[in-house]
Amino acid sequence: MIDGTVNKSRRRFLIGSTSVVGAVGGVGAAVPFVGSWKPSAKALAAGAPITIDTSRLELGELLGPMPAWRGQPIFVMRRDEQILERLSSNIDHLADPASEKTDQQPPYAQNEFRSIRPEIMVMVGLCTHLGCSPQLFAEVEPQDFDPNWQGGFFCPCHGSMFDLAGRVFTGVPAPTNLVVPPHYYVNDEVIVIGLDAENS
Ligand code: FES
């Protein structure tokens, strides 16, 4: 019985020693790997700017297939005069209608439409609460989540709402407006996303 206990202890020690040696060996092997690591072409491409063509973008729809930049969906939408008028007049329920939280957009998008050109919306399509992708409900019509819905984005995860400029409603879990990524126009229809004009 005593022998058995000793043997068990010895076995545990041997197993522990082997594990430690294995771990040290692992670290030793990792050093030269870390020292020589360079980002792969794929990793570089994942953060690279993207170019999109908006020429076939219909009014009130999101550009599809949905572009992705840095692994994030990018919402691009063409807005008509009625939408722009509602964005100008319907602001009482918004938490940050003038985009005063400056981290959420570049300076050239700090305006009521949160865009360079009012008719084109460019937005990172991730909720600023916990990162779900909000859904577009473009029409002005009563919704279960808001009987006075004026068109916008609804995040089904926890009920956050945003207007068609990505401005967050008051009283919802999302703390800030949706993010406008850096971008600039190459011509009337082509946009580069991921760079400002001055850094292009
Ligand atoms: S992730 Fe959108 S409301 Fe929570």
Side-chain angles (χ1 to χ4, degrees), residues 126-134 154-162 172-174:
L126 294 178
C127 180
T128 52
H129 179 219
L130 293 177
C132 292
S133 195
F154 174 69
C155 184
C157 291
H158 313 94
S160 290
M161 293 175 274
F162 306 85
V172 300

Side-chain angles (χ1 to χ4, degrees), residues 2-15:
I2 291 174
D3 284 346
T5 306
V6 168
N7 284 344
K8 270 190 203 154
S9 301
R10 181 173 160 73
R11 215 168 22 244
R12 269 202 297 274
F13 171 75
L14 285 173
I15 291 168

